[in-house]
Amino acid sequence: MTQSSESRQPAPLELRTISSAEHTAHLAAQPLSSFLQNPRWPAVKTEWDAEHLGVFAGDELIAAALVLHRQLPIPGFVPGLGKKRLSYIAEGPVFDATQHSLAPILEKVSTYLTRQGAFLIRMGVPGILRRWEAKEVRRALAAGEHRTLDELEPLDGGASPWAQRVTDDLRAQGWQPPVTSTDFEAGQPHFQARIPLVDESGEALDVDGVLSRMDQTSRRQTRKSTRSELEISVGTAEDLPAWQALYEETAERDGFTGRPLEYFQRMHRELNASELSECTLYLAHFEGQLLAAAIYVRQGEFGWYVYGASSGEERKRYAPRALQLRQIEDALAAGCRWYDLGGLSPSLEPDHELAGLTRFKTTMGADVVQTFGEWDLTVNPLLAKAFSLYMARR
């Protein structure tokens, strides 16, 4: 007699390394997985070592994680310290949260990494904790009556029962939550600006539906950009040096430290070599002059505006707006559910140094999403503190 499904015990979980092909196949069935978990991403982040981990229930791969490792700046032959490392999981592990819970998967991953020499494990679990509507955030920012997003009522009343379970599982296993800051910290942003490309029933919006989320000024400037005699094109790898020149001009003007050309070349090459993703360079010219450029990544049902650059010339042609519109159009055409504009601050103080970024992104129609953020499991507190000091000095 066969055992009934009601009394059958679930298969014990086992963790083992997996191939890039196995990892890719798993992510293909998870359309909202991040490109930061793409098996080709380690070829972009060349300063890190990488490992592909899979958690199996019997023969079924139920969760996968791309783990990046960074060694302590100590020679490998030093007894007890040379092989110690930081292990970092960005936007992972990836699993079907409707079928499996985080706790047993997390236990397998953390146990393995600890045994392999991790003195600190940093992990950003994918998912949304809370979400605030774009128009409510920009209204609060304009009024100046609140200090942070915590003082606003989130959509759907706040964290879901599932999100609360994830938080409880993390705390129960000794993970430390991120410290909420109104400034940007290292790693992936705790608060992100995302434009929904579907309505509340899950039906895809059209371009007009997305434009209707913008405030009047953003909508007017976006429409004007389509009548500004701009030539919008998709660049190739040969156009990346032109991108880099404009990007460096933008970095100098806006006061940030940019990445080198080689980074963007690797990113463009590797993400386009993956069957999961695409990395697109968009260019906006006027009479042969490059006015704006943007790098867009799509994987599954998610689109990201990852990098942008613009000239100080011909600003009234609104070239950056034209490129945003093109990215939105392409994300809609690909069936994306979200178009991500990147991080922002949870501050609602109008004079905060990052208020302009929040203002711009919410006027574009982006809701503010609080992710779980990056949690830490400290295995060796002394080494973790020393490593943090070393990275801060760099």
Side-chain angles (χ1 to χ4, degrees):
M1 181 182 295
T2 59
Q3 193 176 25
S4 69
S5 59
E6 288 80 4
S7 60
R8 187 181 300 125
Q9 295 297 315
L13 299 187
E14 178 187 0
L15 184 144
R16 57 180 182 263
T17 58
I18 57 176
S19 67
S20 292
E22 288 176 293
H23 199 165
T24 297
H26 177 77
L27 294 182
Q30 300 293 327
L32 292 180
S33 62
S34 170
F35 69 91
L36 299 177
Q37 280 292 302
N38 191 300
R40 300 195 74 99
W41 189 243
V44 181
K45 306 293 287 186
T46 53
E47 68 273 28
W48 298 74
D49 298 321
E51 193 171 17
H52 306 271
L53 301 182
V55 178
F56 290 80
D59 294 330
E60 181 188 5
L61 176 60
I62 65 168
L66 169 63
V67 188
L68 299 180
H69 303 291
R70 176 165 267 169
Q71 301 292 136
L72 274 173
I74 296 172
F77 59 79
V78 177
L81 292 179
K83 294 185 178 180
K84 293 295 184 181
R85 58 193 186 178
L86 164 70
S87 295
Y88 177 51
I89 308 172
E91 297 292 326
V94 177
F95 64 100
D96 185 347
T98 66
Q99 300 294 320
H100 307 284
S101 62
L102 174 65
I105 295 170
L106 189 60
E107 184 176 4
K108 289 294 181 182
V109 171
S110 60
T111 299
Y112 171 82
L113 293 175
T114 299
R115 289 174 178 171
Q116 293 299 307
F119 62 84
L120 174 68
I121 307 170
R122 181 162 293 165
M123 176 180 63
V125 179
I128 293 175
L129 190 59
R130 294 183 294 176
R131 175 181 160 201
W132 292 267
E133 193 173 11
K135 64 181 180 181
E136 295 301 324
V137 176
R138 61 183 184 244
R139 182 181 299 136
L141 191 61
E145 297 172 351
H146 301 85
R147 294 186 61 231
T148 66
L149 285 167
D150 282 334
E151 299 174 20
L152 295 185
E153 182 68 21
L155 291 169
D156 302 323
S160 67
W162 170 80
Q164 189 59 55
R165 283 196 301 272
V166 169
T167 301
D168 292 344
D169 288 344
L170 287 162
R171 291 184 184 277
Q173 294 190 28
W175 292 77
Q176 297 298 312
V179 177
T180 299
S181 170
T182 56
D183 297 319
F184 285 156
E185 305 292 337
Q188 297 306 303
H190 197 177
F191 294 85
Q192 298 175 10
R194 296 179 183 174
I195 300 177
L197 303 181
V198 297
D199 62 21
E200 293 304 316
S201 65
E203 292 295 318
L205 298 173
D206 57 16
V207 173
D208 287 339
V210 177
L211 288 175
S212 70
R213 297 181 53 84
M214 299 180 182
D215 77 342
Q216 186 176 5
T217 299
S218 292
R219 193 161 52 247
R220 184 183 69 251
Q221 291 177 354
T222 300
R223 294 192 186 281
K224 187 173 181 179
S225 74
T226 65
R227 303 188 297 271
S228 294
E229 301 177 341
L230 294 169
E231 178 188 351
I232 308 300
S233 62
V234 172
T236 67
E238 286 69 32
D239 294 302
L240 285 170
W243 147 267
Q244 187 70 20
L246 190 63
Y247 172 70
E248 290 177 2
E249 175 188 328
T250 305
E252 183 177 358
R253 183 179 66 239
D254 294 348
F256 65 87
T257 301
R259 294 187 181 276
L261 173 61
E262 293 78 10
Y263 181 89
F264 297 112
Q265 290 171 328
R266 294 195 301 268
M267 184 177 181
H268 190 266
R269 179 181 66 248
E270 296 300 330
L271 291 181
N272 284 321
S274 170
E275 62 188 74
L276 295 170
S277 59
E278 58 188 30
C279 178
T280 307
L281 171 64
Y282 293 102
L283 306 169
H285 287 88
F286 174 69
E287 295 183 347
Q289 181 182 7
L290 182 60
L291 296 184
I295 292 178
Y296 163 84
V297 173
R298 184 195 62 79
Q299 181 167 303
E301 297 176 359
F302 225 119
W304 291 265
Y305 164 62
V306 188
Y307 294 98
S310 62
S311 168
E313 303 296 324
E314 299 285 350
R315 286 185 172 273
K316 290 187 178 180
R317 296 189 184 277
Y318 302 110
R321 297 282 191 185
L323 294 187
Q324 289 288 353
L325 179 60
R326 175 63 183 270
Q327 290 169 90
I328 289 170
E329 291 171 342
D330 286 357
L332 287 169
C336 291
R337 300 178 65 86
W338 294 98
Y339 174 56
D340 191 295
L341 293 176
L344 41 64
S345 169
S347 173
L348 292 176
E349 296 181 358
D351 58 350
H352 189 277
E353 62 179 352
L354 295 173
L357 193 63
T358 302
R359 190 174 296 110
F360 167 73
K361 292 180 178 182
T362 55
T363 58
M364 283 286 294
D367 291 345
V368 178
V369 166
Q370 181 184 6
T371 68
F372 289 101
E374 294 186 340
W375 292 61
D376 285 352
L377 184 64
T378 302
V379 181
N380 186 315
L382 182 61
L383 290 181
K385 183 176 182 179
F387 186 81
S388 296
L389 291 172
Y390 164 76
M391 293 303 294
R393 290 194 184 98
R394 290 187 65 199

